[in-house]
Amino acid sequence: MNEKILVVEDERDIARMVEYNLKKEGYRPLVLHDGSFAAATAAKERPALILLDLMLPGLDGLEVCRRLKADTKTAAIPIIMLTAKGEESDKVLGLGLGADDYVTKPFSLKELLARVQAVLRRSAAAPAPAPEKLSAGDIELDAAKVTVKLKGAPLELTSKEFELLKALMAGGERVLTREELLEKAWGMDASLELETRTVDVHVGTLRRKLKKEGRRIVTVKNYGYRFEGGR
Ligand code: CA
């Protein structure tokens, strides 16, 4: 619940009705009446779902769809097309471009909301993004296999140490605050209950296990940590 949904629809009445009902269901709709900035808005706002009308001023829905799927920031966001009768070929094209579903106008709100729920459920259950392998110096981390090797030999890490190392390496030299690291390794809510000092303790053990390579984890005073040679 509370998912952000981008609605791109130029027919004001439909847009208003959809917006109202999405709000009522507890979603956070964001409405655009024009296709021009739809892809850019999606990249910035990262909605959980996009309801995309096909016949739009500015940029038509198919082109918007194409752009969304071509941008890694938005490619994974599910799209439901809103099509009018007689737009059969567009519908097929849209699905070919990677749209997840479509509803034909005039649609009932019940039907639309059911589709919204189904697509959101599917995307929540979808597997995590492609496996990622990170390496720096003698360290090789495989995010998919959840393994770390040091000089080619398997390295035993606790799950927290593993998550911390992954976050640091993926950070690519960016300084990560203790709060950010808590959030990444312990989960969203943990940051409220755990003390940030917990991070320091785990970074300490992680550094020891990484031996010489532990020096890559650099303490940034009063701020957090940075991984040298990341990405
Ligand atoms: Ca339209």
Side-chain angles (χ1 to χ4, degrees):
M1 270 299 143
N2 267 316
E3 285 113 328
K4 203 185 279 176
I5 298 180
L6 178 62
V7 182
V8 191
E9 168 63 83
D10 60 315
E11 283 162 82
R12 305 270 164 161
D13 292 350
I14 297 180
R16 235 188 324 267
M17 179 187 75
V18 169
E19 181 183 22
Y20 173 80
N21 283 279
L22 286 175
K23 263 189 195 151
K24 217 172 82 184
E25 291 295 313
Y27 300 111
R28 286 180 293 150
L30 218 128
V31 181
L32 292 177
H33 299 293
D34 183 298
S36 313
F37 303 108
T41 304
K44 185 165 152 270
E45 299 286 339
R46 309 284 181 103
L49 171 71
I50 301 168
L51 296 180
L52 181 62
D53 181 27
L54 285 188
M55 300 283 277
L56 285 169
L59 211 58
D60 77 61
L62 287 177
E63 185 51 36
V64 172
C65 190
R66 203 170 279 131
R67 292 188 185 190
L68 287 168
K69 292 301 170 191
D71 184 342
T72 52
K73 290 199 287 293
T74 52
I77 303 174
I79 300 170
I80 299 179
M81 295 180 289
L82 308 177
T83 68
K85 272 198 195 118
E87 286 176 1
E88 286 304 306
S89 57
D90 285 350
K91 190 170 73 194
V92 173
L93 257 174
L95 291 174
L97 286 174
D100 292 73
D101 204 352
Y102 63 89
V103 283
T104 308
K105 296 180 201 172
F107 49 79
S108 78
L109 280 166
K110 226 171 130 184
E111 186 196 353
L112 180 70
L113 291 171
R115 298 287 179 95
V116 165
Q117 276 167 13
V119 169
L120 285 176
R121 226 181 1 248
R122 270 210 303 275
S123 78
E132 217 176 333
K133 289 184 184 173
L134 301 164
S135 66
D138 293 335
I139 312 170
E140 292 167 71
L141 183 146
D142 190 321
K145 291 186 186 157
V146 196
T147 55
V148 176
K149 284 183 182 169
L150 190 62
K151 279 192 170 169
L155 181 67
E156 288 284 335
L157 294 181
T158 66
S159 64
K160 298 307 176 205
E161 288 163 356
F162 177 82
E163 292 300 330
L164 277 176
L165 182 60
K166 188 172 84 176
L168 284 163
M169 289 181 83
E173 309 254 332
R174 196 168 69 80
V175 181
L176 294 159
T177 64
R178 289 177 173 80
E179 287 78 10
E180 269 178 278
L181 287 168
L182 265 179
E183 199 179 293
K184 285 182 196 291
W186 278 263
M188 281 292 207
D189 304 326
S191 51
L192 305 171
E193 291 154 29
L194 283 168
E195 284 185 46
T196 47
R197 221 185 65 82
T198 311
V199 173
D200 302 340
V201 176
H202 284 80
V203 165
T205 59
L206 180 59
R207 267 187 186 138
R208 272 196 296 282
K209 288 185 181 179
L210 291 170
K211 301 192 177 131
K212 204 173 95 234
E213 294 286 19
R215 280 182 303 202
R216 290 183 184 275
I217 304 175
V218 180
T219 307
V220 181
K221 215 176 165 208
N222 298 326
Y223 196 73
Y225 296 96
R226 180 171 66 79
F227 191 87
E228 212 139 74
R231 278 256 203 241

